[in-house]
Amino acid sequence: MKQINNNNEIQTLALESRRSGKSIALVPTMGYLHEGHLKLMQEARKTADLVIVSIFVNPIQFGPNEDLDRYPCDLEGDLAKCNRVGVDVVFTPTPAELYPDFFQTSVAVNEISQGLCGAGRPNHFQGVTTVVSKLFNLTLPDFVFFGEKDFQQLAVIRRMVIDLNFPIKIVGVQIIRESDGLAMSSRNAYLQTQERAEAPAIHKALTYARKLHSQGTTGTDTLCQAVSNSLHDNIKSPFNIEYIEIYDSQNLTRLDDKISVPATILIAVHLGKTRLIDNLQLSQN
Ligand code: PAF
């Protein structure tokens, strides 16, 4: 396995691989890899000849009061994990490599970046689509793998790929959960002991909404309120709900009355100092 820090080197390797007829899969990450990332890498390994993982904590997708400075990091551990899964190349640029002096270009997907996480994190998705576009141009992938936990991110990137004609197949991979239901996330490392014990209440509440929906409840307010009530019943640590909303699973538009199309319920909760997101498909139709 090769580790590359340099733009020219990774792009040359990608160009040469493509010229020799090899397919390329990219798994973009911010490191501190967990089972969810490993699943993305395993899927990438099954799909392409050359698997590239990028590890880069992208400063421009963090707001001024967010966790950029304390984002967890374990490069040595990450490299060992990538090696075990059979990754070919790990791209680990510095911020100065990706954002040199005079850098001033950005990529923005306007509408679907506005709601949900975009409402509370105004420049977040522009930071994501900008870095992801750069990573696409540097690694020239045929396939790129993203987790479905970041449901809105996946939708935003799919839109960008269509709108900007990137010749890339975006592959969404289902959420990997801990045995108690908590969606895997690098940020779970921030949770204090009691918060960690209570965090599975998020998935439990979403599952309850799905059950109510399967029993005939279609009102979005009723379902979102049921999730909120369930969280208040099960979490004793300080927490606040950033959003609980139900969206059309296909086109990521908000459903604000009754569910009549395949729908997903999405949530962001601040449990103590940790921001957690999750989602669950409520119905296929
Ligand atoms: O999902 C993430 O880890 C990041 O948003 C990504 C896609 C690697 C871009 O920095």
Side-chain angles (χ1 to χ4, degrees), residues 28-30 58 61 128 131-132 146 150 153:
T29 81
M30 298 206 299
N58 176 34
Q61 72 185 70
V128 170
V131 79
V132 164
F146 292 96
D150 296 293
Q153 169 172 282

Side-chain angles (χ1 to χ4, degrees), residues 11 47 62 117 121 148 177 196 200 223 268 284:
Q11 202 174 44
T47 309
F62 288 77
C117 295
R121 307 183 73 191
E148 288 178 349
R177 298 183 181 280
R196 174 61 190 84
L223 291 167
Q284 309 294 338

